[in-house]
Amino acid sequence: MDLPSTIAIDGPAASGKSTLGALLAKALGYLYFDTGVMYRAVTLAALQNDVDIFDEAAIGQLAEQVRIDVGPASIDDGRDYDVMLDGQDVTWLIRKDTVNDHVSDISIYARVRKAMTEQQRRIAKENKVVMVGRDIGTVVVPDADLKIYLDASVEVRAERRYQEMLERGEPADYEAVLRSLKNRDHIDSSREIAPLKPAEDAIVIQADCLGIQQVLEKAKELVYRV
Ligand code: CDP
């Protein structure tokens, strides 16, 4: 039986796509690629170099220039992979609040999306991959063998993200997390290029009442059914 060699998982922030993607890739022995890290790395590069987030031309140029590498985890500190930005280990830095607050702003720019999409397509062509993002099934690899759209209500997602922050020992405020997710959902879904939405042939998993193991089981059923 031929298993799908390209699996796309899309969905809104904190729906559990990254955890699902990592577990599914591990179970299948596929490469796991979380495309959000690329948009996050460009945002961090802009913040570190004092490039104005709202200067589209400058951010576009930056996105074409920076070198982003994602590879196997080199440190055992809870990470699933290393993210390198021009040789700097930014795996945890790209998760900080200032990046959360601006990543959706830079993700609307056409030049940024083009630069990221080209790299993602190359990776999808060269590997058996579980690729996670917002536009993987709709734009990056519309011919993916299996497309999953993982959804959950914004309140459930905010609660999960809030708990993750507490577990990492970070200061956390549920209302602030909820506001930030709503803002990101709005920008991601209403942008002109590659907005967040399920592909027509995506299978939607509604995860409000499902734990990660249940979601994983559903996804595996889909993989073995294709
Ligand atoms: O982990 P979380 O769901 O919070 O976010 P992420 O997947 O790391 O993505 C961060 C942001 O990058 C999203 O809110 C989008 O604005 C953007 N993004 C995108 O535009 N296209 C993708 N394929 C992946 C992420």
Side-chain angles (χ1 to χ4, degrees):
M1 182 176 61
D2 275 347
L3 295 181
S5 62
T6 308
I7 301 174
I9 305 179
D10 290 299
S15 56
K17 347 173 262 308
S18 306
T19 313
L20 171 64
L23 291 173
L24 191 59
K26 199 169 174 201
L28 296 170
Y30 286 14
L31 176 73
Y32 165 52
F33 195 80
D34 182 355
T35 59
V37 304
M38 300 186 75
Y39 293 92
R40 287 174 177 275
V42 172
T43 310
L44 182 69
L47 295 170
Q48 286 183 337
N49 294 292
D50 284 326
V51 179
D52 180 0
I53 295 289
F54 299 100
D55 183 341
E56 179 166 357
I59 298 283
Q61 196 179 3
L62 185 70
E64 286 162 8
Q65 281 169 353
V66 289
R67 190 185 160 94
I68 304 165
D69 292 301
V70 183
S74 63
I75 303 173
D76 185 14
D77 63 355
R79 63 179 63 189
D80 287 319
Y81 43 73
D82 286 352
V83 183
M84 308 296 288
L85 172 64
D86 290 328
Q88 179 198 3
D89 182 349
V90 296
T91 314
W92 293 116
L93 282 178
I94 58 169
R95 300 283 155 198
K96 67 182 183 178
D97 275 349
T98 45
V99 174
N100 284 336
D101 290 344
H102 292 298
V103 62
S104 291
D105 296 321
I106 68 105
S107 299
I108 66 176
Y109 300 145
R111 262 170 85 184
V112 173
R113 299 214 70 83
K114 185 162 177 282
M116 303 295 109
T117 301
E118 279 168 7
Q119 296 195 41
Q120 291 160 15
R121 285 193 178 137
R122 182 176 45 76
I123 291 164
K125 210 181 254 173
E126 290 169 0
N127 300 277
K128 289 191 168 195
V129 67
V130 178
M131 199 171 264
V132 173
R134 299 289 186 289
D135 60 340
I136 308 305
T138 51
V139 174
V140 178
V141 276
D143 56 349
D145 310 297
L146 172 62
K147 301 178 188 177
I148 295 174
Y149 187 89
L150 187 60
D151 210 354
S153 72
V154 71
E155 288 79 13
V156 166
R157 291 185 279 123
E159 178 62 30
R160 288 186 190 152
R161 181 84 9 132
Y162 170 68
Q163 292 298 339
E164 280 168 19
M165 292 170 82
L166 290 181
E167 276 162 30
R168 287 204 295 262
E170 292 170 14
D173 170 1
Y174 171 80
E175 289 302 327
V177 174
L178 183 64
R179 262 198 313 278
S180 157
L181 286 186
K182 281 185 178 167
N183 182 44
R184 213 132 59 86
D185 281 358
H186 174 70
I187 303 175
D188 290 347
S189 320
S190 60
R191 70 183 174 217
E192 221 163 283
I193 310 169
L196 168 68
K197 63 171 183 199
E200 270 173 26
D201 51 350
I203 294 156
V204 178
I205 301 180
Q206 220 295 345
D208 268 1
C209 301
L210 301 177
I212 185 61
Q213 284 307 328
Q214 289 166 302
V215 173
L216 179 64
E217 284 317 308
K218 274 189 186 279
K220 278 189 184 161
E221 278 168 26
L222 296 172
V223 168
Y224 290 103
R225 207 180 68 186
V226 168

